[in-house]
Amino acid sequence: MTHETPPPAMGFPGSLPTTTWAPPPVAAVPFVQHPTDRLAARAIVISLFAGALAQLLLFSQRPGVNWPIWIAAVIAAAVITRRPASRIDRADIWLPIGALTFAAFIALRDDPGLFTFDLLASSALTLASVVAIGGLPVTRNTWLTIGRLGGSAVLMFWVGAARMLHGFRPVLAGLPAFGGSSTSRLVARGLLIALPLVIAFVALFAAADAVFQNLLRSTFDFRLDLSEWVGRFVFGLTAAWFLGGTLVAGWLTRDRFPNREVAGTGTNRQRPLSSIEAVTVVGVLDVLFAIFVIIQAAYLFPGGDPLSASGLTYAEYARRGFFELVVVAVLSGAVILTLDWLVDRATLSFRLATAGLALMTGIVLISAAVRLNIYQQVYGWTELRFYVLAAIAMLAFGVVVTILAIATRRVGAVPKLVLAAGLVIALACNVIGPQAFVTTHNVERAANPALVPADGFTGLDTGYIAGLSADVVPSLVQSLDQLPPDARDQVVVLLRRTAHALRADATGETWQSWNLSRQRALDALLAAGF
């Protein structure tokens, strides 16, 4: 038999050598490079251990401190299973930091609105972190490539674990490829042999001694319930599968996302819109926005009278306006970015027209903020009004950035900067605590009616406060002496009900579900005698 020298190994560095070589079959570019058996074996073992950790942390548990622990475990698993030559890009270092930060706020805040955002943000940033740890730049990439990266990573999350199943060969053979030395192989095999024995003895000890069983229950939520153990087993395997898919997402091949896209080049494409067409579109919008801005300046801002022109009350006029104006600002920004992407040449007239549209969009945002302030003065704060104000702040930043980007001909960078501003504002919202902020300011209004306009609402909406989370409890406890008698009586009833619910939750709550806001609320209620 004739032996030929094989060409450089395809796939991951460290692929197993072969003695013969034949040309590969003609096929499309692989979706994911196949990792070596050693790397796949490592990922399988880590995924299985992570599945056991997931059922301990998350099975039948309320989200709390368990979520940041899980996110940290996923990021650590991605680091351990990355390809040998992979290095995270410097511009992507913020991704795992951001994922851990938003995950931590799930254990710090009890606000349902923040919980939903923090859960989604930490999950998305974690997946992006895994891809970045795998060696593919994310932050520096073009928006088109980021979209393709995101779609591929999400697909891998669901089905990607199947692409590392060939790693079971070394696992079943006694893990010869999992460790780098005979000692590590022997330790790994010993742990696998010991695992079922440990489980059996722990079950026997728990059945034999009540103290030992209570210790297990308080630490691991351990119960001798067959149906629950089956549920935990299925939950752990599901978590292991999805973690495996996440790790495979970190192995996305550079053949599918080449470096030329990372640099943001490849802009020599045919653009379908001429500068004359684009200037015409923006010019028409400029005229429309200018008419609206002139009307606003005439009677909405200081010295004007919107009531005589609209026939509405001050509060009705304000309520009718600020949501719509925020939508107008969003659509205006989308139009500017889309036209900049489609126009064949960004002429001076086009840049002046788009800069004028951005400037008038900023005035529209000012109008929205004025309307929101009017409505807030009359009726007080709510979570929705707080978030609308945060959105206005983010859009205002976007207006400033857009004008600067038009002047420097770098409009393509605007979405990333606005997204970064949105994450910073979301971080600020977590630090402030919308529900605590709203409650504190509404209590001040109820305690001091002089802060409220003559036709405004001066009471405390206890029905609204009753629907809020534990975040508001410390503020309510501290403000009891400031409230008028009728409001104080209603708040006392509410706090007693809340104290009963928190004590009941604390009785059955495990360490995995611990949350700082709920703990602070319970401590404040107990200190106040509730």
Side-chain angles (χ1 to χ4, degrees):
M1 179 181 294
T2 302
H3 294 277
E4 298 181 19
T5 302
M10 301 294 290
F12 284 85
S15 297
L16 297 177
T18 57
T19 56
T20 60
W21 175 80
V26 177
V29 175
F31 186 72
V32 171
Q33 287 181 335
H34 290 291
T36 62
D37 286 356
R38 175 177 178 176
L39 187 60
R42 180 182 301 173
I44 288 173
V45 174
I46 289 176
S47 296
L48 292 175
F49 275 101
L53 176 65
Q55 65 81 29
L56 169 65
L57 292 174
L58 305 173
F59 183 78
S60 296
Q61 300 292 339
R62 192 193 317 192
V65 72
N66 49 4
W67 186 250
I69 294 175
W70 173 248
I71 293 297
V74 173
I75 293 175
V79 173
I80 295 173
T81 59
R82 72 187 187 277
R83 296 174 297 176
S86 298
R87 295 291 183 272
I88 187 171
D89 186 68
R90 289 182 180 180
D92 291 331
I93 293 176
W94 72 273
L95 289 172
I97 297 174
L100 290 170
T101 300
F102 283 107
F105 276 112
I106 291 180
L108 300 177
R109 289 291 180 191
D110 193 40
D111 187 324
L114 290 177
F115 168 81
T116 302
F117 178 87
D118 292 340
L119 185 69
L120 294 175
S122 59
S123 300
L125 290 174
T126 298
L127 192 57
S129 300
V130 172
V131 173
I133 291 169
L136 273 174
V138 176
T139 303
R140 296 182 194 269
N141 246 312
T142 64
W143 275 104
L144 180 61
T145 306
I146 289 176
R148 295 173 60 199
L149 272 173
S152 299
V154 170
L155 181 61
M156 284 295 95
F157 170 77
W158 288 99
V159 301
R163 295 186 176 261
M164 64 182 187
L165 294 183
H166 62 283
F168 270 115
R169 289 181 298 176
V171 172
L172 297 177
L175 297 175
F178 179 73
S181 65
S182 59
T183 302
S184 61
R185 293 199 303 270
L186 294 174
V187 170
R189 293 177 62 181
L191 290 174
L192 289 177
I193 295 172
L195 182 61
L197 297 175
V198 170
I199 294 175
F201 282 117
V202 165
L204 291 173
F205 286 144
D209 187 81
V211 175
F212 185 80
Q213 186 179 57
N214 290 335
L215 179 63
L216 287 176
R217 285 179 175 175
S218 62
T219 306
F220 300 105
D221 196 25
F222 179 85
R223 297 183 181 86
L224 294 174
D225 187 333
L226 181 60
S227 61
E228 180 177 337
W229 277 94
V230 171
R232 287 181 177 273
F233 179 76
V234 173
F235 185 91
L237 282 183
T238 303
W241 175 270
F242 286 136
L243 177 68
T246 303
L247 298 181
V248 173
W251 300 338
L252 290 171
T253 174
R254 284 182 178 270
D255 294 335
R256 188 171 177 84
F257 302 97
N259 289 332
R260 60 180 177 83
E261 295 187 14
V262 173
T265 59
T267 56
N268 297 326
R269 57 184 178 80
Q270 191 68 31
R271 304 197 183 221
L273 201 64
S274 70
S275 59
I276 296 177
E277 293 171 307
V279 170
T280 302
V281 173
V282 180
V284 171
L285 294 179
D286 281 344
V287 172
L288 175 61
F289 274 57
I291 293 173
F292 182 81
V293 167
I294 291 172
I295 294 174
Q296 298 298 291
Y299 67 88
L300 178 61
F301 295 113
D305 182 12
L307 304 182
S308 59
S310 64
L312 302 174
T313 66
Y314 215 44
E316 288 173 341
Y317 183 81
R319 183 178 187 179
R320 180 172 174 172
F322 58 82
F323 286 113
E324 291 82 354
L325 295 183
V326 169
V327 174
V328 166
V330 173
L331 292 179
S332 174
V335 167
I336 292 174
L337 294 176
T338 303
L339 289 177
D340 181 79
W341 173 256
L342 297 176
V343 70
D344 61 354
R345 192 163 54 93
T347 61
L348 178 61
S349 57
F350 173 75
R351 288 187 287 126
L352 290 175
T354 51
L357 182 59
L359 181 61
M360 285 184 286
T361 300
I363 299 176
V364 168
L365 282 175
I366 295 174
S367 176
V370 170
R371 292 165 185 258
L372 177 62
N373 183 60
I374 292 171
Y375 200 65
Q376 178 271 321
Q377 287 179 353
V378 174
Y379 290 109
W381 282 99
T382 64
E383 283 184 279
L384 182 58
R385 292 162 206 161
F386 180 92
Y387 287 124
V388 169
L389 180 62
I392 290 174
M394 184 183 72
L395 292 173
F397 175 84
V399 167
V400 175
V401 168
T402 300
I403 295 174
L404 294 176
I406 291 171
T408 58
R409 301 189 180 187
R410 301 186 64 182
V411 178
V414 170
K416 290 183 180 180
L417 294 174
V418 173
L419 176 60
L423 291 176
V424 171
I425 290 174
L427 182 63
C429 290
N430 274 281
V431 173
I432 294 171
Q435 291 191 355
F437 176 89
V438 165
T439 302
T440 299
H441 284 76
N442 287 345
V443 166
E444 291 177 355
R445 288 167 53 89
N448 186 8
L451 299 174
V452 184
D455 58 345
F457 174 73
T458 57
L460 183 64
D461 189 351
T462 54
Y464 173 76
I465 292 177
L468 301 181
S469 68
D471 283 5
V472 308
V473 170
S475 298
L476 290 177
V477 172
Q478 294 175 5
S479 64
L480 278 177
D481 295 337
Q482 306 172 22
L483 293 173
D486 55 340
R488 182 168 56 248
D489 293 341
Q490 295 176 5
V491 171
V492 166
V493 172
L494 172 62
L495 291 178
R496 286 174 179 167
R497 190 185 312 133
T498 303
H500 177 75
L502 287 175
R503 277 196 294 266
D505 288 343
T507 301
E509 192 173 66
T510 58
W511 67 267
Q512 295 96 325
S513 299
W514 183 86
N515 177 274
L516 178 62
S517 284
R518 292 196 292 269
Q519 186 63 52
R520 289 180 58 195
L522 183 58
D523 292 343
L525 290 168
L526 293 176
F530 288 96

